[in-house]
Amino acid sequence: MCGIVGYVGSARSTEVLLGGLRRLEYRGYDSAGIAVIDADGALSSAKKAGKLQVLADELAEHPIADGPTGIGHTRWATHGGPTDGNAHPHLADGGRLALIHNGIIENFAPLKAELLAEGVEFTSETDSEVAAHLVAREFRQTHDLTEAMRRTVALLEGAFTLLAVHADQPGVVVGARRNSPLVVGLGDGENFLGSDVAAFVSYTQRALAIGQDQIVTIRPDSVSVIDFDGNPADASEFEVNWDASAAEKGGWSSFMAKEISEEPEAVQKTLLGRVHDGAITLHDLEPIADRLQQVDRVIVIACGTAAYAGLLGKYAIEQWARVPVEVELAHEFRYRDPVLDGRTLVVSISQSGETMDTLMAVKYAREHGAQVLSICNTQGATIPRESDAVIYTHAGPEVAVASTKAFLAQGVALYLLGLHLATLRGTLSSEEIAAQVAELEALPPKLQQTIDDAADVTTLARWMADTRSVLFLGRHVGYPIALEGALKLKELAYIHAEGFAAGELKHGPIALIEPGQIVFVIVPSPRDPRSLHPKVVSNIQEIRARGARVIAIAEEGDAAVLPFADEVLRIPLASPLIEPLLAVAPLHMFAMELATAKGLDVDQPRNLAKSVTVE
Ligand code: M6R
């Protein structure tokens, strides 16, 4: 939430800042602003409510002086509405200092009262402006922006990434972070700061991950890092493994359309190097290899779509490795006093690796003796650095706010974990493992086939553009898929949508069915050994009898659903645990197409931000 970019180098800050903000806009799009210090040491700023383009238009009409030092911000509003005045940067010291903030300063009220008593005048309703005036106050004492920042963070409670510039110290940007992301881009005669590497990847792929409670000072030729006590600190350098083109639309109508099209590739890349000759090799787990042998319980913690991926993993891990798996929303987990010990493996799942609820749950789990394995899609992110081990999904950058390709990559990573645990625990034979590996390897072309064959989804979505409510039913692995289908429709098309376990229907939700109610049903394979297929076909008949319009997603050749469904979308055959994953792309496409038919922005849905870095 909130995108942050900082730059020192040549005289083209405005271009770098706007480019960085364009790539970070998925983090928030309520307002945007920049501040630049020119070659003469004068600070100018501009900020506007609305999407980044509003600021870009404003700057085109009324340019500010460009210069070698600057900071930029794109906001997801927390304290104070999305207005020009509440947009960042916030100015202090008579307009000589500018500051931007991502996070929430929980003790802003007493600090503001203290500053007001000192005669400081506030111009916004934000918590962030407090930090600007505090850094200004400390700068007046120290004449050193790094030290002023250090003294300021000692006063703050909550989560923050702060960047500040001061006209009296041109050529310097100072950043600080606690529980909010910040990475450095290492250039040649220029350096960058960003909420994530997307901010600067078109200039450099060399990056430094700034650790928790650290302060970084960038100049054109140097980067120095200290901790909040002022001691020199290490920051780990890494190479960004994707280039700027991966985060471009590349001819697609939206990032969402592009990212759905990349679902097969996301799965393939997540499997790459981890499956060989019918076996699993997860070098990622080496840091916890010893303790993994002892695991007697798995708890998956995640939020939103990532939590639904966790549910997929529950079915696979329990069936294959015979170890109990609980799946819990990260924000509920740490407040219920969970029972944890050294034999508990906590698996956190996060595309961004920055979700505050998940990060806090990870810290809690480790503090209480559990080992934490993270499944993450973002290099240099906080959650993997706070974990004992990490399996990176290689879905590539996900720019659209709603998660799509990462969901499948997360599911596949959990399936790999399940097979790895089954190997360790001897719960599957090598032939059984090889059979599942073959199924996973066959998934990308089948996903591609599903996407290629999904023209009917577009027609259906256009036909349903006025629909007010859609229900999604699934059983077993189809249940988390139903939840994901419903979430995607809510967030993209702003339509009431609910996902249910099909067996739960008769326990209450069937009361929602009235003539014309649209219901998607993910139909289990007729080959499923649990005989769920006839039960779900019965569920379809029950809702049809009450007037529902049923869209079944069923495997090729399943004729039993035909008499009872209004539409049937076909998916290729796969094993019962894996086949429901093939229903994901049609549901993602349906939500996207329906939102498009309603004229909505599928990449930046209202009220949302991709990376939720506040609790
Ligand atoms: O970055 P994360 O995977 O931790 O994000 C978790 C959720 O915030 C995220 O999946 C969210 O539910 C998306 N809006 C789903 O499309």
Side-chain angles (χ1 to χ4, degrees), residues 5 37 199 284 291 294 303 323 341 357 394 511 520 550 581 589:
V5 55
I37 300 177
D284 319 73
R291 292 176 75 192
Q294 322 297 327
C303 302
V323 61
D341 60 33
D357 293 314
H394 297 300
F520 275 79
V550 172
L581 301 185
M589 292 167 82

Side-chain angles (χ1 to χ4, degrees), residues 302-308 349-356 358 375 378 383 398 400-404 406 410 484 487-488 491 608-612:
C303 302
T305 282
Y308 300 152
I349 310 173
S350 176
Q351 189 285 132
S352 62
E354 300 293 349
T355 299
M356 179 65 75
T358 310
I375 293 176
T378 310
I383 291 173
E398 210 182 50
V401 164
S403 192
T404 54
Q410 289 160 349
E484 167 65 4
L487 176 60
K488 225 64 346 162
E491 58 184 344
L608 292 174
K610 186 155 189 71
S611 181
V612 184

Side-chain angles (χ1 to χ4, degrees), residues 263-308:
E263 288 182 353
E265 190 184 347
V267 169
Q268 190 161 31
K269 288 188 169 165
T270 300
L271 292 172
L272 198 69
R274 293 172 172 146
V275 289
H276 293 286
D277 302 327
I280 304 288
T281 317
L282 277 182
H283 292 302
D284 319 73
L285 301 183
E286 274 163 17
I288 55 169
D290 292 347
R291 292 176 75 192
L292 219 45
Q293 305 273 1
Q294 322 297 327
V295 163
D296 64 3
R297 193 162 63 112
V298 175
I299 304 178
V300 179
I301 49 172
C303 302
T305 282
Y308 300 152

Side-chain angles (χ1 to χ4, degrees), residues 89-151:
H90 294 289
L91 303 183
D93 220 3
R96 298 180 64 71
L97 177 138
L99 176 139
I100 54 180
H101 169 223
N102 170 30
I104 290 180
I105 297 169
E106 289 171 359
N107 61 336
F108 85 99
L111 291 169
K112 185 168 180 174
E114 185 184 314
L115 288 161
L116 285 168
E118 291 170 12
V120 171
E121 288 180 14
F122 282 78
T123 58
S124 80
E125 304 152 282
T126 65
D127 53 337
S128 314
E129 192 182 353
V130 164
H133 292 298
L134 288 172
V135 178
R137 183 176 80 182
E138 300 304 325
F139 188 85
R140 285 193 291 274
Q141 307 274 325
T142 59
H143 304 287
D144 179 78
L145 196 53
T146 306
E147 179 58 13
M149 182 65 85
R150 198 187 71 75
R151 291 185 181 196

Side-chain angles (χ1 to χ4, degrees), residues 337-356:
D337 199 9
V339 179
L340 301 168
D341 60 33
R343 292 162 71 93
T344 312
L345 175 66
V346 168
V347 179
S348 87
I349 310 173
S350 176
Q351 189 285 132
S352 62
E354 300 293 349
T355 299
M356 179 65 75

